[in-house]
Amino acid sequence: WASILDCYNFKPVYTVVLIIQLSCLTAVHWAVYNGGAYFLVVCLSFMCDGSMTSMIPVVTNQVFGVTRGSTVYGYMFSTFGVASMLGTLFVKNARRRSGSMECFSSARASPLALLSSPTATDSKRSPTPSSPPRLA
């Protein structure tokens, strides 16, 4: 997914990933009753997580520049551990209060909100891929 960013802007690529993720979050309710479908939904969901993670360095360097972008990426990458711990507590409390279905509904709301929000990375980019780096 990150290599697709060489040819296309961030927003269309990220939109495709979010649509796939939203489809997975919707399909998981029915996929739990079919082993093959559940396997496919889980694999696609992990692919979306990995693709979003692989696009972060490209976008941070584009928005903040190479020097500052690597620092920003470091902070963003280290927040995944914190988000995992806090997310576990959030889901545990949300399931206790409202049940599993409402947790999935709130999980679907996040990609929908991201799809509708404007991004700072809508700058025009060249449609041709950049040249490969030179090896010394």
Side-chain angles (χ1 to χ4, degrees):
W1 289 98
S3 58
I4 294 173
L5 292 177
D6 289 338
C7 300
Y8 298 100
N9 289 335
F10 172 74
K11 190 164 185 173
V13 175
Y14 194 67
T15 301
V16 169
V17 173
L18 285 176
I19 289 171
I20 295 170
Q21 184 70 37
L22 187 63
S23 301
C24 289
L25 286 169
T26 303
V28 76
H29 296 297
W30 299 282
V32 294
Y33 301 110
N34 182 339
Y38 185 72
F39 176 76
L40 180 66
V41 166
V42 169
C43 286
L44 283 173
S45 182
F46 279 120
M47 181 208 62
C48 290
D49 291 340
S51 63
M52 290 178 196
T53 305
S54 72
M55 287 189 285
I56 290 173
V58 176
V59 175
T60 54
N61 286 339
Q62 181 184 2
V63 173
F64 298 103
V66 176
T67 305
R68 187 169 289 193
S70 59
T71 305
V72 171
Y73 172 70
Y75 288 126
M76 291 177 72
F77 192 73
S78 53
T79 59
F80 287 122
V82 175
S84 296
M85 291 184 285
L86 293 178
T88 303
L89 295 174
F90 171 77
V91 169
K92 182 179 176 181
N93 290 328
R95 283 186 65 195
R96 189 177 322 137
R97 292 182 186 172
S98 58
S100 297
M101 295 302 281
E102 284 73 18
C103 288
F104 280 113
S105 297
S106 64
R108 279 194 301 266
S110 177
L112 284 174
L114 289 172
L115 279 173
S116 63
S117 68
T119 61
T121 58
D122 268 344
S123 62
K124 299 288 182 195
R125 294 188 63 192
S126 168
T128 59
S130 60
S131 60
R134 293 184 180 197
L135 299 175

